Amino acid sequence: MTDVARYLADSAAYGVEPDKLETVYRGRTLLGVLWGVAAVLPLLVRRRWPFAALAAILAVAVSTPVDAQYALPIAAMIYTIGSRRSWEATFAAAASVVATGLAYQLAGGPDLSTGDLVTTALLCAVTGGVGLYIGGRRASIAALHERAERLDRERVLLAERAVAEERLRIAQELHDVVAHNVSLIVVQAQALGATVPDERVAAATEGIADLGRQAMAEM
């Protein structure tokens, strides 16, 4: 069909004079831009509310008054769901897209052929599969990071435990050595007080023995 023939066909289809067809084209272009923006806006909340965003995009695609392409936002939503949710949720989201397109086609919706529906199904399958793969890889990397951090914490705890055990061993050895030496001091002081017949020496040695016994009790 030539440009002139197409122009006349559009004029007949829209029911306007040929000289007013440019106005109709501009109006439809504006509607296409508005509906395109409405289909893209839900992508801003796709990570927080992915299913609500997908439902909003499908609602815009079904209610559009002009011929427009919504494959890109739909593919972005299926990928997001696949990369962040389970495969069951991804399959349900892709199935809802295909079911919506099929219902739209059966209801007599224009501009959606069987080939377009098959293409949409394949697009959902590919983007969903890629999203599931990326999500699985992301989960594996996160698990490896968590395991590495857990091993680091365990190594720190083991090192701290080894230091505490070594300190306890040293303290026990010091306790035994000091207690033994203090005991010798007490015994020698008592022996000195018993062998020297001097009251001042006896009083001094008894004081030394008392201090030694007090030190051992405190230890």
Side-chain angles (χ1 to χ4, degrees), residues 19 33 45 51-52 65 124 130 155 158 166 170 185 190 194-195 208:
D19 57 348
V33 171
V45 295
F51 295 101
C124 291
V130 173
R155 281 195 293 268
L158 290 175
E166 183 65 16
I170 294 174
I185 291 174
Q190 290 176 339
T195 55
I208 295 173

Side-chain angles (χ1 to χ4, degrees), residues 66-139:
V66 295
D67 184 15
Q69 297 296 325
Y70 299 98
L72 183 59
I74 291 175
M77 285 308 311
I78 297 299
Y79 169 81
T80 300
I81 295 174
S83 63
R84 295 179 176 272
R85 300 300 175 92
S86 63
W87 69 268
E88 293 91 344
T90 305
F91 178 80
S96 66
V97 173
V98 177
T100 301
L102 181 60
Y104 179 77
Q105 186 185 41
L106 293 177
D111 303 325
L112 184 64
S113 63
T114 303
D116 294 334
L117 189 60
V118 173
T119 302
T120 302
L122 292 176
L123 180 65
C124 291
V126 172
T127 54
V130 173
L132 289 173
Y133 174 77
I134 296 299
R137 293 288 298 174
R138 187 183 299 159

Side-chain angles (χ1 to χ4, degrees), residues 33-43 53 56-57 60-61 69-70 73-74 77:
V33 171
L34 292 177
W35 252 254
V37 172
V40 172
L41 285 179
L43 295 178
I57 294 173
V60 172
Q69 297 296 325
Y70 299 98
I74 291 175
M77 285 308 311

Side-chain angles (χ1 to χ4, degrees), residues 175 179 182-183 186 209-219:
H175 175 273
V182 172
S183 299
V186 172
D210 289 339
L211 290 175
R213 285 190 290 270
Q214 183 180 357
M216 291 185 62
E218 291 177 354
M219 289 181 60

